[in-house]
């Protein structure tokens, strides 16, 4: 898989980028071209960089500078780690290069703005969307910001998918090659579009998560059509799965069953503690001969109405997919998707929000067709479609992101955080990563820990 990922870099170089992008591509670290991308002051910053498969490190690099008239430089006051960052750690996402700054979720304070930025000023508190949108194309006009046509010129993605997604922060050259926000500073193209002002009554420990996890969870629930009276099953009890459980009840679900197991089984207890109405299913505790599908049909006649995939396609459960993934015969396992399809009622709805990057084997297309199952790719969540409404929910108290917040660490220890998060260790759920620019912890949120 790693060889495939690196081979894609050479292929993209040979093919060349498309001509659709209106923002500079492949600016994943200012040190790649100090004269072109680094602040002329020579100021240095800490940043988390990819250093090869299963290796990241906190490095010292140069502070970025404004390179486009609509750019904004943000002093990062909060970032985090996401399950999809682990796909980068493992080299499962193609076109990573050593030294790429990672991180697609961050908030901070505006430090400086380009001459064409109109709505933001130095000192404004802001959160960035994980996708980079132009605000003007066909998709942006409909607030479908994750599918912007003008911020990602990658040719391989266009060939593989039949179209491109938007550019994304810290998520490889496959999505445009933009330096991420697990750093002390970040450059945000089209800052007027991709930054949302945070009001004073919303601390960073809540506002940060508008960048991805809240919008992604809401999109999963809404796009899959969870409605009043539904029984919902959720695969994965990480932050996305946890918030999908909470949001399914907000949408009127009658029952919510969250599924997890193995080294992550402790997350089921956390979900139950924070959302007591939720039910849990630990697949590692099932007796021999009992599958997730059969257990769900035992718990609910015919199975759930809706299944939500909040895990990802790189984690094999059986030996066949394990070896096929290892040998590069597929990029994603179909096991969880097949469980969802066979578990829901006839004409049930299945939504995929966990990251799948390529191709899969042994897909149960027969059950999908014969039983009328609706399989929905939720896509990378269009943050701009939801984040203003979600901000209002945070302000009125109907949505509390801190129910998933378990730890606070310093950016200097983020390489350790990656390894522990990958191991599902120390009961790490959602983490707030502070920098030298961060305020003290908000009331009721975790204090700083250290592994040193």
């Amino acid at each position: 898989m790693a060889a495939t990922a690196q081979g894609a870099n050479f292929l993209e170089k040979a093919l060349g980028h498309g001509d659709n992008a209106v923002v500079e591509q492949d600016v994943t670290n200012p040190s790649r071209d100090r004269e072109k991308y680094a602040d002329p002051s020579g100021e240095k910053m800490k940043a988390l960089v990819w250093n090869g498969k299963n290796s990241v490190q906190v490095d010292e690099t140069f502070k970025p500078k404004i390179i486009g008239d609509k750019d904004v430089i943000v002093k990062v006051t909060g970032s985090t780690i996401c399950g999809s960052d682990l796909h980068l750690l493992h080299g499962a996402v193609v076109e990573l290069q050593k030294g790429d700054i990672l991180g697609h979720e961050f908030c901070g304070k505006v430090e400086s703005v380009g001459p064409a930025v109109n709505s933001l000023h130095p000192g404004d508190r802001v959160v960035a969307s994980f996708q980079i949108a132009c605000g003007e194309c066909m998709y942006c006009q409909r607030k479908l910001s994750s599918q912007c046509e003008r911020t990602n010129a990658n040719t391989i993605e266009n060939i593989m998918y039949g179209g491109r997604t938007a550019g994304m922060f810290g998520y490889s050259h496959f999505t445009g090659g933009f330096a991420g926000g697990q750093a002390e500073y970040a450059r945000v193209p089209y800052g007027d579009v991709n930054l949302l002002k945070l009001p004073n009554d919303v601390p960073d420990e809540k506002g940060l998560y508008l960048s991805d996890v809240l919008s992604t969870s809401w999109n999963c629930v809404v796009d899959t059509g969870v409605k009043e009276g539904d029984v919902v099953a959720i695969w994965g009890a990480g932050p996305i799965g946890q918030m999908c459980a909470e949001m399914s009840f907000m949408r009127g679900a009658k029952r919510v069953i969250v599924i997890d197991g193995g080294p992550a089984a402790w997350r089921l207890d956390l979900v139950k503690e924070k959302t007591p109405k939720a039910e849990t299913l630990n697949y590692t505790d099932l007796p021999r001969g009992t599958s997730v599908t059969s257990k769900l049909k035992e718990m609910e006649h015919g199975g759930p109405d809706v299944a939500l995939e909040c895990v990802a396609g790189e984690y094999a459960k059986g030996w066949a997919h394990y070896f096929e993934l290892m040998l590069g015969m597929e990029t994603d396992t179909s096991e969880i998707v097949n469980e969802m399809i066979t578990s829901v009622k006839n004409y049930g709805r299945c939504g995929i929000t966990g990251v799948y990057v390529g191709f899969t084997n042994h897909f149960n297309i027969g059950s999908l067709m014969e039983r009328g199952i609706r399989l929905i790719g939720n896509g990378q969540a269009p943050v701009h479609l939801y984040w203003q409404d979600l901000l209002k929910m945070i302000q009125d108290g109907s949505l509390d992101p801190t129910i998933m917040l378990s730890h606070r660490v310093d950016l200097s220890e983020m390489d350790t955080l990656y390894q522990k998060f990958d191991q599902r260790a120390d009961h790490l759920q959602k983490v707030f990563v502070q920098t030298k620019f961060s305020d003290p912890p908000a009331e009721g949120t975790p204090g700083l820990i250290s592994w040193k």
Side-chain angles (χ1 to χ4, degrees):
M1 188 176 289
T4 300
Q6 292 310 302
N9 283 314
F10 294 106
L11 181 58
E12 181 71 27
K13 187 174 181 180
L15 292 171
H17 287 334
D19 60 1
N20 59 299
V22 294
V23 291
E24 187 90 11
Q25 304 285 284
D26 303 312
V27 190
T28 52
N29 191 322
S31 293
R32 296 204 184 279
D33 189 332
R34 179 179 174 183
E35 184 175 343
K36 191 174 181 181
Y37 303 131
D39 190 88
S41 68
E43 184 178 347
K44 297 286 191 71
M45 69 172 185
K46 290 177 183 172
L48 189 285
V49 303
W50 190 76
N51 199 38
K53 184 178 179 181
N54 295 322
S55 176
V56 293
Q57 67 184 44
V58 177
D59 208 354
E60 186 175 72
T61 185
F62 290 100
K63 172 186 172 182
K65 74 174 182 180
I66 289 170
I67 60 176
D69 287 350
K70 298 183 179 181
D71 285 355
V72 171
I73 303 298
V74 173
K75 283 183 178 180
V76 177
T77 58
S79 67
T80 186
I81 187 171
C82 175
S84 56
D85 287 322
L86 298 180
H87 311 319
L88 300 173
L89 176 68
H90 302 152
V93 176
V94 298
E95 295 192 65
L96 278 162
Q97 297 177 15
K98 287 187 178 182
D100 287 354
I101 298 174
L102 305 186
H104 57 274
E105 302 172 83
F106 61 97
C107 65
K109 294 177 182 176
V110 172
E111 197 227 23
S112 57
V113 301
V117 174
N118 299 313
S119 63
L120 297 169
H121 303 91
D124 286 344
R125 292 180 59 237
V126 290
V127 59
S129 64
F130 75 85
Q131 61 237 208
I132 300 163
C134 73
E136 299 167 354
C137 71
M138 172 179 69
Y139 293 112
C140 287
Q141 288 177 16
R142 295 157 57 193
K143 298 283 188 184
L144 301 178
S145 47
S146 60
Q147 308 302 322
C148 176
E149 298 176 292
R150 304 169 69 211
T151 56
N152 178 14
N154 189 274
T155 297
I156 291 177
E157 188 186 51
N158 193 41
I159 293 170
M160 283 180 63
Y161 297 164
R164 297 180 178 91
T165 62
M168 298 178 194
F169 288 107
Y171 217 76
S172 91
H173 299 259
F174 191 67
T175 60
F178 297 91
Q182 290 168 354
E184 292 176 331
Y185 290 95
R187 181 183 67 91
V188 179
Y190 282 80
D192 281 327
V193 177
N194 298 302
L195 293 168
L196 179 69
K197 288 184 182 179
L198 291 176
N200 291 333
D201 61 346
V202 176
D204 285 354
E205 291 87 347
K206 293 183 179 182
L208 165 63
Y209 303 109
L210 292 164
S211 59
D212 180 0
V213 57
L214 296 179
S215 299
T216 294
S217 302
W218 188 254
N219 181 64
C220 180
V221 170
V222 171
D223 191 53
T224 313
V226 174
K227 63 183 189 301
E228 188 81 29
D230 275 341
V231 176
V232 180
I234 299 171
W235 274 253
I240 299 290
Q242 181 185 0
M243 295 311 299
C244 281
E246 187 76 13
M247 291 170 173
S248 291
F249 282 123
M250 291 171 65
R251 296 279 294 181
K254 179 174 65 175
R255 297 177 69 187
V256 175
I257 304 164
V258 183
I259 304 150
D260 214 320
W266 59 266
R267 299 191 300 196
L268 294 171
D269 295 330
L270 176 65
V271 170
K272 189 68 177 174
E273 175 191 345
K274 300 296 184 179
T275 307
K277 292 187 294 183
E279 303 166 60
T280 60
L281 196 169
N282 185 340
Y283 65 79
T284 49
D285 287 347
L286 294 175
R288 181 171 295 183
T290 301
S291 65
V292 170
T293 293
S294 64
K295 184 63 178 178
L296 286 171
K297 291 182 183 290
E298 176 187 318
M299 295 173 72
E300 173 68 23
H301 178 70
D305 302 286
V306 178
L308 304 178
E309 203 284 16
C310 302
V311 183
E314 72 159 305
Y315 304 109
K317 294 176 73 174
W319 287 110
H321 284 281
Y322 174 83
F323 285 113
E324 288 173 4
L325 285 167
M326 185 175 67
L327 295 171
M329 297 169 66
E330 65 177 357
T331 60
D332 304 276
T333 174
S334 59
E335 291 160 292
I336 290 176
V337 177
N338 284 341
E339 280 186 354
M340 293 163 59
I341 290 170
T342 55
S343 295
V344 294
K345 291 180 172 71
N346 293 6
Y347 295 103
R349 306 181 302 284
C350 300
I352 302 177
T353 280
V355 173
Y356 287 71
V357 297
F359 303 94
T360 189
N361 300 328
H362 316 296
F363 175 65
N364 194 345
I365 195 169
S367 179
L368 182 83
M369 181 270 154
E370 298 289 352
R371 299 174 55 238
I373 307 304
R374 273 57 178 160
L375 181 62
I376 301 161
N378 301 127
Q380 296 288 351
V383 172
H384 298 183
L385 184 63
Y386 304 120
W387 63 351
Q388 290 177 323
D389 289 338
L390 291 168
L391 176 59
K392 292 175 184 175
M393 293 181 198
I394 293 173
Q395 289 182 286
D396 68 22
S398 59
L399 178 63
D400 181 11
T402 64
I403 66 170
M404 62 179 167
L405 184 55
S406 61
H407 294 74
R408 183 188 185 99
V409 303
D410 192 81
L411 176 65
S412 61
E413 296 190 56
M414 191 141 203
D415 45 2
T416 303
L417 173 61
Y418 262 78
Q419 302 303 327
K420 288 186 172 289
F421 195 69
D422 190 29
Q423 297 161 5
R424 313 294 192 268
D426 295 3
H427 289 198
L428 291 160
Q429 182 73 334
K430 200 63 177 173
V431 180
F432 184 89
V433 178
Q434 70 173 31
T435 74
K436 64 182 181 181
F437 301 121
S438 301
D439 291 329
E443 185 178 354
T445 66
L448 182 68
I449 66 158
S450 175
W451 291 292
K452 292 181 178 178

